[in-house]
Amino acid sequence: MRPSRVYMIAAGTALALIAAAWISRDKFRPVGPGVAAPTFAYPSLEGDTLDLADYRGKVVLVNLWATWCAPCRSEMPSMQRLYEEMKDRPFEILAVNVDARFGEVDVGGRPGGDVPAFVSELGLTFPILLNPAGEIQREYQTTGLPESFLVGPDGVIRRKVAGGTNWDQLAYREQIERMLTP
């Protein structure tokens, strides 16, 4: 084969790879502040399917958690207090549980938790979504639990918090208020 032909094939291959990377560039962007929140729709504990896209125009706290996660258990009461405080505002919490189904074991060997009992024990009234396969963890590129994303009314992530936190502290409430004010 002639050297010029080899160079043309190599150049064509490089251009094809560059074009493919350009077309799929959003798949490789880190999920965090300034990036559109990946959409999802999962069943809730009540049995209806809740879709993040339906909450456009509201500030949404997307929280990924599991019943076996101690920091998740610790932060839930502060989420409930925040939810109650913001109940008359365009604000929502979508807490997505990633436990294996009750009676099953996840890929890490952890038994599936009793989500309804957990929710009842803590007196949680915000929406709880179920994603036992954990696809949301891949979509949101999480590294552990809990992990939370504060999504603005425009669907863009404004804050990412890895690990448990106190959601009803002043700094978070003020940030949410600023996001609610046009």
Side-chain angles (χ1 to χ4, degrees), residues 43-57:
S44 72
L45 272 182
E46 287 73 37
D48 48 338
T49 298
L50 300 182
D51 188 329
L52 178 63
D54 292 339
Y55 294 90
R56 205 60 167 288

Side-chain angles (χ1 to χ4, degrees), residues 59-145:
V59 173
V60 181
L61 173 60
V62 176
N63 175 263
L64 283 61
W65 67 283
T67 58
W68 48 261
C69 166
C72 299
R73 176 179 286 276
S74 295
E75 80 174 348
M76 288 286 182
S78 72
M79 290 170 56
Q80 180 62 37
R81 289 188 301 270
L82 177 65
Y83 185 70
E84 290 169 7
E85 182 179 328
M86 304 296 288
K87 67 182 173 191
D88 297 325
R89 307 296 306 275
F91 172 78
E92 189 61 79
I93 294 176
L94 297 178
V96 184
N97 176 271
V98 296
D99 274 274
R101 287 184 174 80
F102 190 66
E104 296 180 9
V105 177
D106 70 13
V107 294
R110 292 174 295 263
D114 187 344
V115 178
F118 181 96
V119 168
S120 177
E121 176 188 337
L122 293 180
L124 306 177
T125 60
F126 49 83
I128 304 293
L129 285 70
L130 305 171
N131 182 231
E135 298 98 350
I136 195 164
Q137 291 176 285
R138 287 184 291 283
E139 277 297 310
Y140 276 73
Q141 302 171 7
T142 61
T143 57
L145 294 174

Side-chain angles (χ1 to χ4, degrees), residues 144-157:
L145 294 174
E147 236 172 277
S148 300
F149 301 82
L150 199 51
V151 180
D154 57 357
V156 174
I157 296 170

